[in-house]
């Protein structure tokens, strides 16, 4: 095992898989861009109390709808104020918390449900597989926006309800992808070998299957997180998601809609931020797929 | 082929049955629909009277059975808010939603398929990169926001199109674009991947070797095969789109079935919401069934699945 120090041996063997992964990641522009934006916005969300110039809930009837700096406003309110005189930049910063939290937790819940279903279907096959496929079909037939709106309306719009509803609705892609990946892996010889030496089923699932499907899982987590963020914004925009005065970007677009004719920036700014966040998460997901599975690149 | 259709039909019916049960029971989530209907200020007697009137005092399964049997006959009860039969209410509004859905999918197909074909003929060219960028950006754009921006630019600033309503074909232009762009990325990617795959296959080389013209090779031989999965994707997307029309219709104040859904959810109109969830699910189930049958007909290899 001394050949690691031998430059000749290293040259023959070439770079290690980790080194190749790292160099592929660093040369992938979409991944770098997406990841930087996501990290930046996560930091903004975490540091919201430090970064926000004002209290996002503080109303001021004297300074309503002050335009942003680039439209003739002052630095007191860099992005202006809304119809209740609340500082727009501060609301945007706190809104990042709402979006990221909903996206992350909803993706986590649906990820656990979907992965359990998909891995079970792929590994056990037969009746389990048929049942899971049936559940996926049922889930896909339900109109997501409509069902989510109806449930939120019945249970009341709070952050917890929105997160749970989205988490319980968005597991379909996890199940489909995890089923396909598991199916592929469970036909390999080393799974048969593990079965032959008497490894228990949970052990095979956790130590043989999971490590080999986790790359695909991470990609779906990012894509579903983006999906959940967009859905939350749409629900809040329709007035049946996160309720005022909580700063949600979708809600901000909805509140600005009535003043859209005279103050288009009220709608423009939260929409652009939402677009950038979702774009960055999607680019990160696509990038991760390219980097971790270069052979599957199209 | 017949066995395949029968099997697939059985599955569709089973899914439809399950969905009907879920959409019915969803509205019992609140615990007491009568109390929700009566509102917070109602007295105990009022709630009790409503419970009797609508039959909420009976076991849920009995209510479900009754609801399902009337639904099968096309009777979804009466809307609490509009005081009209739900079935005729939805039938009236579906026309707008169907028009929008068909326009949306046609828009998505006529823009995404050519883009995908050109991107596949010249991989990594400028057009390919632009198409890829459009598909990534399209997926990230919130549709309600895209709709509002179109209204600001084309209705308010330029004054070319009416901002809302459904009076003429002009009213449908912006909603069509907003509904259709969402399906574009998936259709484009699938067309591109399918074309790339087909163009590398042996029979294309044979066709070229025989001296067939490039246009003939591309359209007669390649596109014909690459388009098969796109057909079924389009049918599935159409089902999704009808469900997604709720956002678009509320942005453009188009009084279709999606708008009706939003109105009735906001007004606690349970029978209408139940019926709409079921109707939108049925569309999806019918469209995916058609897609699978079409696929099996176009590509016999699919029939074993």
């Amino acid at each position: 095992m001394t050949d690691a120090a031998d430059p000749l041996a290293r040259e023959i063997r070439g770079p290690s898989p980790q080194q190749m992964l790292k160099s592929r990641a660093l040369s992938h522009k979409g991944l770098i861009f997406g990841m930087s934006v996501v990290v930046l916005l996560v930091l903004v969300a975490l540091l919201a109390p430090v970064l926000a110039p004002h209290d996002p809930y503080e109303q001021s009837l004297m300074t309503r709808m002050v335009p942003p700096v680039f439209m003739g406003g002052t630095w007191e309110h860099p992005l202006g104020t809304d119809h209740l005189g609340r500082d727009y930049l501060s609301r945007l910063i706190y809104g990042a918390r709402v979006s990221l939290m909903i996206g992350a937790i909803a993706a986590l819940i649906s990820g656990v449900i979907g992965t359990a279903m998909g891995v079970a279907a792929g590994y056990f096959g037969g009746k389990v597989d048929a049942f899971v496929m049936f559940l996926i079909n049922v889930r896909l037939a339900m109109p997501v926006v409509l069902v989510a709106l109806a449930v939120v309306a019945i249970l009341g719009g709070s952050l917890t309800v929105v997160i749970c509803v989205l988490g319980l609705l968005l597991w379909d892609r996890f199940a489909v992808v995890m089923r396909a990946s598991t199916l592929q892996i469970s036909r390999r010889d080393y799974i048969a070998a593990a079965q032959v030496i008497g490894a228990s089923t949970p052990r095979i699932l956790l130590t043989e299957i999971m490590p080999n499907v986790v790359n695909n899982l991470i990609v779906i987590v990012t894509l579903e997180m983006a999906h959940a963020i967009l859905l939350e914004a749409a629900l809040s925009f329709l007035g049946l998601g996160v309720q005022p005065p909580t700063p949600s970007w979708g809600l901000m677009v909805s509140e600005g809609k009535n003043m859209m004719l005279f103050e288009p920036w009220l709608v423009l700014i939260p929409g652009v931020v939402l677009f950038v966040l979702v774009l960055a998460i999607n680019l990160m997901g696509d990038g991760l797929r390219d980097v971790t599975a270069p052979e599957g690149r199209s | 082929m017949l066995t395949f259709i029968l099997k697939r039909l059985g599955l569709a019916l089973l899914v439809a049955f399950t969905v009907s049960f879920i959409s019915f029971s969803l509205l019992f989530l609140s615990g007491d629909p009568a109390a929700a209907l009566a509102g917070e200020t109602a007295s105990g007697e009022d709630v009790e009277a409503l419970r009797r009137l609508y039959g909420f005092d009976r076991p849920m399964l009995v209510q479900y059975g009754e609801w399902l049997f009337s639904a099968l006959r096309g009777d979804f009860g009466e809307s609490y808010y509009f005081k009209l039969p739900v079935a005729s209410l939805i039938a009236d509004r579906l026309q707008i939603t169907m028009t929008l859905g068909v326009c949306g999918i046609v828009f998505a197909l006529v823009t995404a398929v050519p883009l995908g074909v050109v991107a596949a003929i010249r991989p990594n060219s400028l057009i390919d990169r632009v198409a890829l960028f459009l598909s990534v950006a399209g997926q990230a754009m919130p549709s309600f926001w895209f709709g509002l921006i179109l209204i600001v630019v084309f209705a308010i600033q330029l004054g070319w199109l009416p901002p809302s309503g459904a009076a003429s074909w002009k009213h449908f232009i912006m909603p069509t674009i907003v509904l259709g762009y969402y399906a574009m990325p998936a259709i484009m990617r699938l067309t591109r991947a399918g074309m790339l795959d087909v163009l590398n296959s042996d029979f294309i080389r044979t066709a070229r070797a025989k001296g067939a013209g490039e246009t003939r090779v591309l359209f007669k031989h390649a596109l014909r095969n690459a388009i098969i999965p796109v057909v079924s994707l389009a049918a599935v997307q159409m089902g999704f789109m009808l469900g997604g029309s709720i956002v678009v219709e509320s942005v453009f104040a188009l009084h279709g079935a999606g708008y009706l859904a939003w109105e009735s959810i906001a007004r606690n109109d349970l029978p209408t919401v139940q019926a709409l969830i079921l109707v939108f699910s049925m569309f999806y189930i019918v469209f995916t069934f058609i897609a699978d049958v079409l696929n099996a007909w176009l590509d016999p290899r699919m029939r074993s699945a």
Side-chain angles (χ1 to χ4, degrees):
Chain A
M1 292 302 141
T2 51
D3 61 5
D6 185 349
L8 189 64
R10 195 163 43 192
E11 204 170 293
I12 292 166
R13 228 176 21 197
S16 73
Q18 282 80 14
Q19 283 167 325
M20 274 158 65
L21 189 72
K22 201 172 155 195
S23 73
R24 274 202 306 268
L26 287 176
S27 61
H28 196 291
K29 285 184 204 126
L31 178 65
I32 295 298
F33 173 79
M35 215 167 221
S36 324
V37 173
V38 172
V39 168
L40 188 75
L41 282 169
V42 168
L43 283 178
V44 166
L46 289 175
L47 298 175
V50 183
L51 292 174
H54 296 271
D55 178 350
Y57 296 101
E58 190 187 83
Q59 302 183 8
S60 161
L61 293 179
M62 300 301 288
T63 53
R64 294 168 63 226
M65 290 195 278
V66 172
V69 150
F70 52 86
M71 289 182 72
T74 63
W75 282 103
E76 171 66 15
H77 298 288
L79 292 179
T81 59
D82 68 3
H83 62 297
L84 296 173
R86 296 173 294 195
D87 182 56
Y88 225 48
L89 178 62
S90 308
R91 287 186 72 71
L92 271 186
I93 291 175
Y94 276 89
R97 285 188 156 186
V98 173
S99 281
L100 285 169
M101 193 166 84
I102 290 183
I105 305 180
L108 197 74
I109 297 175
S110 50
V112 170
I113 302 174
T115 306
M117 288 170 65
V119 170
Y123 185 73
F124 297 111
K127 281 187 179 143
V128 180
D129 188 27
F131 184 64
V132 168
M133 285 308 284
F134 174 71
L135 287 182
I136 294 174
N137 271 315
V138 170
R139 160 53 204 88
L140 285 174
M142 315 274 306
V144 176
V145 182
L146 195 51
V147 172
L149 277 177
V151 174
V152 172
I154 290 167
L155 297 179
S158 71
L159 224 58
T160 325
V161 170
V162 173
I163 289 174
C164 291
V165 168
L166 293 180
L168 292 176
L169 278 173
L170 300 181
W171 47 261
D172 52 294
R173 202 169 353 177
F174 284 103
V176 171
V177 174
M178 284 299 105
R179 176 182 171 271
S181 326
T182 309
L183 206 59
Q184 209 178 16
I185 300 285
S186 53
R187 290 205 193 105
R188 300 273 172 88
D189 287 341
Y190 60 82
I191 300 294
Q195 284 163 343
V196 167
I197 62 168
S200 68
T201 306
R203 190 194 157 94
I204 293 176
L205 290 181
L206 286 176
T207 63
E208 308 288 341
I209 304 264
M210 279 313 283
N212 288 298
V213 296
V214 80
N215 284 344
N216 285 340
L217 183 61
I218 293 170
V219 173
I220 308 297
V221 167
T222 55
L223 297 179
E224 282 309 305
M225 186 170 161
H227 193 186
I229 289 174
L230 275 181
L231 271 175
E232 178 274 320
L235 295 183
S236 301
F237 171 78
L238 290 171
L240 288 160
V242 176
Q243 295 299 307
T246 313
S248 144
W249 294 341
L251 197 58
M252 287 170 78
V253 172
S254 161
E255 287 168 344
K257 189 179 62 173
N258 299 325
M259 274 80 69
M260 193 170 73
L261 195 55
F262 309 104
E263 316 284 354
W265 51 270
L266 281 174
V267 166
L268 211 60
I269 294 173
V272 168
V273 183
L274 190 58
F275 172 68
V276 170
L277 173 62
V278 175
L279 182 69
I281 298 178
N282 279 339
L283 284 174
M284 194 171 86
D286 286 349
L288 284 174
R289 175 167 46 209
D290 290 349
V291 168
T292 53
E295 67 278 5
R297 195 184 242 160
S298 59
Chain B
M1 184 72 187
L2 191 66
T3 351
F4 172 81
I5 291 182
L6 285 178
K7 247 186 181 171
R8 197 55 198 74
L9 191 65
L11 180 68
L13 285 175
L14 207 58
V15 170
F17 180 73
T18 315
V19 166
S20 79
F21 182 71
I22 295 175
S23 61
F24 182 82
S25 48
L26 264 184
L27 302 167
F28 283 81
L29 272 180
S30 61
D32 189 352
L37 187 64
E40 281 164 15
T41 52
S43 68
E45 284 161 33
D46 289 347
V47 175
E48 201 50 45
L50 271 174
R51 190 170 291 143
R52 289 252 168 74
L53 178 64
Y54 290 113
F56 293 136
D57 49 351
R58 294 166 307 156
M60 193 185 130
L61 275 178
V62 175
Q63 293 183 52
Y64 169 66
E66 201 169 79
W67 178 76
L68 184 66
F69 276 106
S70 354
L72 285 174
R73 292 197 309 266
D75 173 15
F76 289 100
E78 191 182 73
S79 156
Y80 296 162
Y81 178 78
F82 293 97
K83 307 289 176 205
L84 287 166
V86 172
S88 66
L89 198 61
I90 294 179
D92 276 355
R93 303 287 197 97
L94 264 183
Q95 208 183 351
I96 286 181
T97 304
M98 290 303 282
T99 313
L100 193 57
V102 171
C103 291
I105 198 73
V106 169
F107 171 76
L109 283 171
V110 298
T111 49
V113 171
L115 257 180
V117 170
V118 175
I121 296 174
R122 306 239 176 285
N124 290 320
S125 66
L126 186 67
I127 293 181
D128 188 20
R129 278 159 196 274
V130 169
L132 186 70
F133 174 77
L134 282 180
S135 83
V136 174
Q139 275 173 335
M141 191 124 71
S143 57
F144 60 92
W145 184 69
F146 184 41
L148 291 176
I149 299 298
L150 287 185
I151 293 180
V152 169
V153 174
F154 293 101
I156 299 174
Q157 302 283 338
L158 297 170
W160 290 352
L161 294 166
S164 60
S168 72
W169 61 271
K170 278 186 175 175
H171 290 84
F172 281 91
I173 295 179
M174 289 195 288
T176 296
I177 295 172
V178 175
L179 194 62
Y181 92 91
Y182 198 72
M184 278 176 59
I187 295 176
M188 199 205 76
R189 285 180 181 202
L190 195 63
T191 311
R192 179 180 179 276
M195 278 299 273
L196 274 178
D197 210 32
V198 172
L199 285 175
N200 284 325
S201 60
D202 290 341
F203 73 90
I204 292 294
R205 206 183 48 192
T206 312
R208 284 198 175 123
K210 280 195 317 189
E214 193 58 23
T215 335
R216 190 181 155 85
V217 170
L218 283 179
F219 292 96
K220 181 110 196 297
H221 296 278
L223 188 60
R224 244 193 185 185
N225 284 288
I227 209 84
I228 293 175
V230 176
V231 171
S232 80
L233 178 70
V236 173
Q237 290 284 347
M238 175 95 186
F240 276 129
M241 267 184 178
L242 292 175
S245 67
I246 182 165
V247 176
V248 177
E249 286 180 19
S250 79
V251 169
F252 292 98
L254 276 171
H255 288 230
Y259 195 82
L260 178 66
W262 184 63
E263 283 178 299
S264 37
I265 287 172
R267 283 163 179 156
N268 248 327
D269 192 349
L270 297 186
T272 318
V273 178
Q274 283 171 329
L276 278 167
I277 294 180
L278 189 62
V279 167
F280 279 122
S281 307
M282 287 310 134
F283 274 118
Y284 179 85
I285 293 169
V286 170
F287 281 124
T288 44
F289 175 68
I290 293 174
D292 282 358
V293 173
L294 257 177
N295 239 345
W297 182 57
L298 291 170
D299 186 348
R301 282 170 303 177
M302 299 282 186
R303 282 174 209 168
S304 60

